[in-house]
């Protein structure tokens, strides 16, 4: 199993009052030719592709939503008295400042769960500093990663860490492979035997990550290492 594709369902209803959804979908297809798009049903559409390509599409839609929101605000302000405009401008400025503060405090991105586990198993040097705190919330195959500040230079450190994680995840998606080894029995004794076995093999396969579950274990790493490890386990 290779880490190449993920499927996400997008809710396009937020654009319905401003745009023709079918036209927006066509624009999305031109913007992201590497992605595969399902049919548009009830304002929702399934999109399949790599995490980096989905991130690019997400940024495109966020910019589109922001543009529509600002256009709506301008149209609303044009029909109000000057004093009201000043008040709204002040409120908008305060909102933007609040958003900037929130962005400095926390950065969030989404990763494949196995990619996230391997990244923690073999982190790049840029993520081993003391300027940020990185945590993850796992929901099945998807893990939401939160990058919070731990020092005075929070904003720069967080953005640098986020960029490092994004770039590293792209590299891992290209190089990693996963094999699943099912337990023949579900007894504690058998699980202990498997654990002892992979502990013995670990020095010979330092690039292999083993993730144990109740009924199986997942083996993640470079293809050659994963193949050699799983063959020895099976023997």
């Amino acid at each position: 199993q290779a880490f190449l594709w993920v499927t996400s369902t997008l809710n396009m209803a937020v654009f319905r009052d401003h745009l023709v959804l079918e036209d927006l979908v066509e624009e999305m297809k031109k913007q992201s030719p590497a992605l595969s798009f399902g049919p548009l049903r009830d304002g929702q559409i399934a999109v399949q592709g790599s995490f980096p390509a989905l991130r690019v599409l997400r940024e495109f839609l966020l910019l589109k939503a922001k543009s529509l929101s600002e256009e709506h605000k301008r149209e609303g302000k044009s029909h109000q008295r000057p004093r009201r405009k000043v008040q709204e401008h002040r409120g908008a400025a305060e909102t933007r400042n609040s958003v900037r503060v929130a962005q400095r405090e926390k950065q969030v991105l989404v990763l494949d769960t196995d990619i996230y586990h391997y990244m923690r198993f073999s982190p790049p040097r840029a993520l081993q500093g003391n300027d940020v705190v990185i945590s993850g919330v796992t929901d099945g195959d998807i893990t939401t990663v939160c990058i919070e500040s731990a020092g005075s230079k929070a904003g720069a450190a967080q953005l640098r860490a986020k960029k490092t994680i994004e770039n590293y995840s792209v590299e891992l998606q290209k190089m990693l492979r996963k094999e699943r080894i099912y337990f023949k029995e579900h007894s504690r004794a058998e699980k202990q035997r498997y654990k002892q076995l992979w502990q013995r093999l670990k020095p010979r396969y330092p690039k292999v990550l083993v993730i144990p579950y109740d009924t199986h274990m997942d083996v993640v790493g470079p293809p050659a290492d994963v193949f050699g490890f799983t063959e020895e386990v099976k023997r």
Side-chain angles (χ1 to χ4, degrees):
Q1 179 180 351
F3 303 95
L4 296 177
W5 301 98
V6 66
T7 300
S8 178
T9 300
L10 305 180
N11 187 350
M12 310 295 292
V14 66
F15 297 102
R16 182 170 286 164
D17 295 336
H18 307 280
L19 299 170
V20 178
L21 295 186
E22 288 77 6
D23 293 342
L24 177 58
V25 170
E26 290 302 316
E27 189 175 355
M28 290 161 54
K29 290 179 179 179
K30 293 178 181 178
Q31 173 72 23
S32 304
L35 296 174
S36 298
F37 293 82
L40 180 65
R41 294 194 181 101
D42 298 324
Q44 296 187 340
I45 187 170
V47 184
Q48 186 181 67
S50 67
F51 269 105
L54 284 170
R55 277 198 293 266
V56 171
L57 178 62
R58 175 180 178 272
E59 293 300 321
F60 166 74
L61 291 175
L62 287 175
L63 289 174
K64 177 73 72 173
K66 181 180 178 181
S67 175
L68 291 172
S69 177
E70 291 176 349
E71 182 179 342
H72 180 70
K73 288 180 180 178
R74 286 195 300 270
E75 291 176 353
K77 290 178 182 179
S78 65
H79 297 91
Q80 296 170 353
R81 292 177 296 176
R83 180 176 296 179
R84 181 64 174 170
K85 289 182 181 180
V86 172
Q87 292 173 342
E88 288 188 352
H89 177 73
R90 185 183 300 128
E94 292 173 353
T95 300
R96 285 195 296 271
N97 289 335
S98 298
V99 170
R100 291 193 187 102
V101 170
Q103 289 175 338
R104 286 198 298 269
E105 292 177 348
K106 181 184 296 186
Q107 293 287 333
V108 176
L109 66 159
V110 178
L111 298 176
D112 176 279
T113 294
D114 292 311
I115 294 289
Y116 171 71
H117 286 316
Y118 197 88
M119 193 174 293
R120 293 185 61 190
F121 168 71
S122 178
R125 290 182 180 179
L127 298 182
Q128 296 174 341
N130 298 319
D131 294 330
V132 295
V133 176
I134 300 172
S135 59
V137 178
T138 297
D139 182 12
D141 294 333
I142 300 297
T143 294
T144 302
V145 179
C146 178
I147 307 168
E148 298 180 274
S149 63
S152 57
K153 299 180 180 180
Q158 287 172 273
L159 291 174
R160 185 167 59 250
K162 181 180 180 181
K163 189 65 177 178
T164 299
I165 291 175
E166 289 177 339
N167 292 340
Y168 191 41
S169 70
V170 172
E171 294 179 15
L172 293 179
Q173 287 171 24
K174 294 177 180 178
M175 64 168 282
L176 291 182
R177 188 170 184 85
K178 180 173 76 173
E179 291 288 344
R180 178 164 292 176
I181 301 175
Y182 287 95
F183 300 144
K184 296 179 181 178
E185 305 170 5
H186 296 167
S187 65
R188 181 177 299 179
E190 188 201 24
K191 294 175 187 177
Q192 186 63 27
R193 287 197 299 271
Y194 272 103
K195 183 177 180 180
Q196 292 171 351
L197 177 57
W198 78 61
Q199 290 293 340
R200 289 200 302 270
L201 293 174
K202 184 184 296 185
R204 294 169 55 189
Y205 298 94
K207 295 182 180 180
V208 168
L209 169 65
V210 175
I211 309 173
Y213 295 93
D214 288 337
T215 59
H216 63 275
M217 63 182 186
D218 286 340
V219 183
V220 183
D225 296 82
V226 168
F227 177 79
F229 183 93
T230 55
E231 286 300 305
E232 293 205 40
V233 170
K234 291 175 182 178
R235 284 200 297 269

